[in-house]
Amino acid sequence: KKEVSRCNSCDMCVDVCPNKQTISKAMDDVSALADIYDNCIFCGECERACPEGVPIMDLIMSAAATTGKLKGD
């Protein structure tokens, strides 16, 4: 929750996302973050672009695990 609260909805993450995932809009909703997992290529561009240093990839993975979407390898 603490990491999520650092998001200022600047959309820099969306601007660099190859799939144009609306990450900042999903920050307050675990299900929405988990849905991003389905289309994420895990390049990390969103995290590198974030001026607030939000660990976006960790949040997406955590949300996917929480909702049972985490893909088993």
Side-chain angles (χ1 to χ4, degrees):
K1 220 41 167 156
K2 180 179 161 186
E3 291 90 0
V4 171
S5 67
R6 294 192 334 231
C7 176
N8 65 15
S9 299
C10 68
D11 284 340
M12 289 184 79
C13 54
V14 177
D15 292 341
V16 299
C17 178
N19 290 336
K20 298 299 178 205
Q21 297 294 305
T22 54
I23 300 161
S24 61
K25 308 292 185 274
M27 282 294 177
D28 292 331
D29 183 356
V30 171
S31 293
L33 270 176
D35 287 345
I36 287 173
Y37 174 85
D38 292 332
N39 296 306
C40 184
I41 62 170
F42 303 98
C43 64
E45 289 298 321
C46 55
E47 231 174 71
R48 285 188 283 281
C50 180
E52 301 301 326
V54 176
I56 298 168
M57 301 302 297
D58 288 344
L59 293 172
I60 291 170
M61 294 297 287
S62 178
T66 298
T67 61
K69 284 191 169 199
L70 196 58
K71 298 173 185 166
D73 292 277

